[in-house]
Every structure is written in structure tokens, then in C-alpha cells.
Amino acid sequence: MALLPEILLFISLSLIPLSHSQPLTTTYYHKTCDRFEQIMQDTTTNKQITSPTTAAAALRLFLHDCLVGGCDASVLISSTPFNKAERDADINLSLPGDGFDVVVRAKTALELACPGVVSCADILAVAARNLVSMMGGPYYTVKLGRRDGLVSQASRVEGNLPRPTMPMAQIIKIFTSRGFTVQEMVALSGAHTIGFSHCKEFSSNLYNYSKNVQTDPSYNPRFAAGLRNACADYQKNPTLSVFNDVMTPRQFDNMYYQNLPKGLGILASDRALYSDPATGPYVALYAKNQDAFFAAFSRAMEKLSLYGVKTGGRGQIRRRCDAFN
């Protein structure tokens, strides 16, 4: 009888489908869902045309998903009376709805075409890539075969996502502790070339920076005046926001880096990226050379998309992306 636990363990392990334990591949759905790429392309294109903020929303959603426990679609789970999920953590409350919506639309179409085959984690990874490319950014490789995570808890989020108010050393540590280099972190920060930030996220730098100074002196003075004007009613209207890249907000390019030396970074963390000696040289490189930025961003996104992925019995293919099976 002493062998019974070992026998049961062997049986339970043998029930895990081995086909899903294989490494991620670009051809994962070729036999099981041959319309996967086309459905993803159609869905992301239609959604972006209808709602131009979708690209930035999906890219931010993907980053927030991956940095907390890996790229496993845990950020998509809705809270229940018994579990406060990741998406309801304070820092995730501002994640735009368009990012969630493009995943739901793709999942609905894919479930009709090939039920129970494609994971929400793969959908989010491919949606982010397709939308970056639609905005003029690089088209990078996304390997497939992720399974959806089995855990989503708001309590796991704090300290694992960069906040604009964090010291640069702390932001760097979030990435280096996950195996990313400082250069890769700076390249991923280039995601701020699209999208927007809510005024409440940086209002303290505009209106009460210190006892003697109203506005953070690292802002360009004219830019700061414009921001104070644009955000004047932020306390009454918490949805007030401004573009992260005020020059080419609808184009994925290297203008974000060109803005930083001019004091045109919206968030304190943006401006610190330029002023910190550990990150400043990479800002200068990408400001000067868009090809270098695109190549580095592509490599960093490919690496991020493989971080903490679940395969085999460590995950599932959710029937709907906002709930565990």
C-alpha cells in the first residue's frame, strides 16, 4: 500500500496531454485551427479602424499581463465574490476597455471556427503584435501554444508593475529580476509612443511639485503650461487624459525618445528614462535611430511574450477569457 501515492501520481501525470507540453512554435495552430491567423488579422484590423485607441490599449494590457506571473491571460479574469482578480488591482483599473474587447471579439470568432482550441493568452499576444504593426511599428514573431493561467489575484500585482512615481532603480529591478536587460527595458518603454496617460497619474508634478515650486522643472515650461491647461478639471473629471507622445500620437515610431531630451515626457518615469545615467544612453540611441529601436523592441517583445508561459497541465484553454473553466 505504501506505493499507492506514487502510483496515483504516475497516473495523474500520464493524464496531462503531452502534446501541450511541447515548446511554443509559430505553427502551433496550423492543423487544429488553420484560420487562426486570418481571424486574428480580421478582428484586430476591424477593431482598430472602429476604435483607434485599441492598439495602445492591447499593448498595455499585454505588458500588464506578462509582468505579473507570466503571459497567461490572468489579467483578463473578472473578479468574483470569492476572488479579487488582477484587473481590479489599483494600477489596473485604468486599463482601457478596448484592449479587453478586442480579445473577446477574437475569442468569440475563434470559438465558432475551432471550439476549445485557441487560448486567450495566445490571442492577446498576437493581437498586441498585429496592432503595433498596424500603427507603423515592427512586425515581430509570436510563438504560439500558451495555455491560460489558473490564478488571478489582485494581491499579486503591487510592486510587479512599474509606476510612474517609482525611482528608476526600482523600475529597472522589476525588469532585471525577470531576466531582462536595462536596454530591453528602455526598448519596451517605447510602447509609450502610442496611447495616453490620465491626468491624475501625473497631476502632482504639475500643480504641487514641492513647497516652493508648482511644476516639476524637468518639464519643458511651455509644455507644462499646456498640460496644466489640458488637465485643469482632472479632479472633477478623472477620465481626462493626454497623449504620451504629443508629436505623433497615432504613429508607432521613435518620436517618444526624441521628445524626452526636450522635456516633453508626460510621466516622471519617462523623463527619468532620459536623465538617469543607466538608461539615458539607450534613449539617445533610439532617438537617433528608429531602425535600432524597432529591432530592439521586436527582440524584447519576443522575449517578453515567452516569459512565464504555461503549458500542459499548468494551464487550460478557457471557454471564455474572463472566467476560469
Side-chain angles (χ1 to χ4, degrees):
M1 291 298 288
L3 290 174
L4 188 58
E6 286 83 350
I7 293 169
L8 289 173
L9 177 63
F10 173 78
I11 292 170
S12 65
L13 287 173
S14 68
L15 292 175
I16 296 172
L18 294 176
S19 60
H20 291 294
S21 299
Q22 63 191 29
L24 274 55
T25 66
T26 54
T27 58
Y28 191 81
Y29 294 115
H30 279 197
K31 290 180 180 174
T32 54
C33 192
D34 61 355
R35 292 181 56 218
F36 170 73
E37 296 286 354
Q38 189 59 53
I39 289 171
M40 285 301 306
Q41 194 59 58
D42 292 346
T43 306
T44 49
T45 301
N46 293 337
K47 174 65 181 172
Q48 178 65 20
I49 290 169
T50 310
S51 307
T53 58
T54 302
L59 183 53
R60 187 171 172 222
L61 189 62
F62 177 69
L63 291 165
H64 280 227
D65 180 44
C66 293
L67 288 175
V68 181
C71 305
D72 62 356
S74 53
V75 75
L76 304 177
I77 291 290
S78 292
S79 294
T80 69
F82 312 103
N83 179 53
K84 185 178 178 182
E86 278 178 38
R87 68 192 286 176
D88 286 322
D90 175 52
I91 195 172
N92 284 336
L93 293 175
S94 62
L95 288 170
D98 285 328
F100 294 95
D101 186 58
V102 72
V103 174
V104 170
R105 289 180 186 218
K107 180 65 169 172
T108 303
L110 286 162
E111 284 299 305
L112 289 170
C114 26
V117 172
V118 181
S119 69
C120 304
D122 278 347
I123 291 171
L124 179 54
V126 172
R129 186 272 312 277
N130 288 2
L131 289 158
V132 163
S133 180
M134 274 189 73
M135 297 290 281
Y139 187 91
Y140 52 89
T141 301
V142 175
K143 291 183 176 179
L144 304 165
R146 294 166 195 76
R147 299 204 122 197
D148 298 321
L150 304 171
V151 177
S152 179
Q153 296 170 338
S155 59
R156 301 169 81 208
V157 174
E158 189 56 47
N160 288 311
L161 291 174
R163 287 185 177 272
T165 52
M166 283 180 177
M168 186 51 62
Q170 190 177 350
I171 295 175
I172 288 171
K173 191 176 178 184
I174 287 175
F175 286 89
T176 55
S177 67
R178 288 160 174 76
F180 293 89
T181 65
V182 173
Q183 183 165 7
E184 286 167 337
M185 186 273 284
V186 177
L188 290 171
S189 300
H192 279 182
T193 183
I194 55 175
F196 54 85
S197 293
H198 290 95
C199 292
K200 63 183 178 185
E201 293 180 56
F202 55 90
S203 58
S204 61
N205 292 321
L206 289 176
Y207 302 109
N208 52 347
Y209 178 66
S210 71
K211 208 178 276 186
N212 303 318
V213 182
Q214 181 187 29
T215 303
D216 185 336
S218 65
Y219 277 120
N220 175 296
R222 285 180 62 197
F223 182 54
L227 289 176
R228 281 198 303 273
N229 188 43
C231 292
D233 288 332
Y234 82 95
Q235 287 176 313
K236 293 179 190 169
N237 181 4
T239 62
L240 270 183
S241 54
V242 294
F243 288 119
N244 290 323
D245 170 5
V246 292
M247 296 302 186
T248 56
R250 292 182 177 86
Q251 185 73 20
F252 195 100
D253 54 20
N254 69 334
M255 187 60 73
Y256 165 75
Y257 299 105
Q258 294 181 44
N259 290 339
L260 298 184
K262 301 169 187 171
L264 302 179
I266 295 284
L267 304 173
S269 53
D270 293 329
R271 298 189 302 282
L273 208 62
Y274 166 67
S275 60
D276 192 286
T279 52
Y282 301 120
V283 171
L285 169 64
Y286 299 148
K288 190 171 59 179
N289 188 333
Q290 182 166 283
D291 289 342
F293 164 48
F294 278 14
F297 182 82
S298 295
R299 286 193 302 271
M301 285 296 284
E302 287 173 16
K303 181 173 174 178
L304 179 64
S305 73
L306 300 175
Y307 176 71
V309 298
K310 315 296 186 289
T311 56
R314 295 178 63 227
Q316 61 183 195
I317 307 295
R318 286 186 210 141
R319 286 186 284 274
R320 46 181 295 166
C321 292
D322 64 353
F324 302 119
N325 292 347

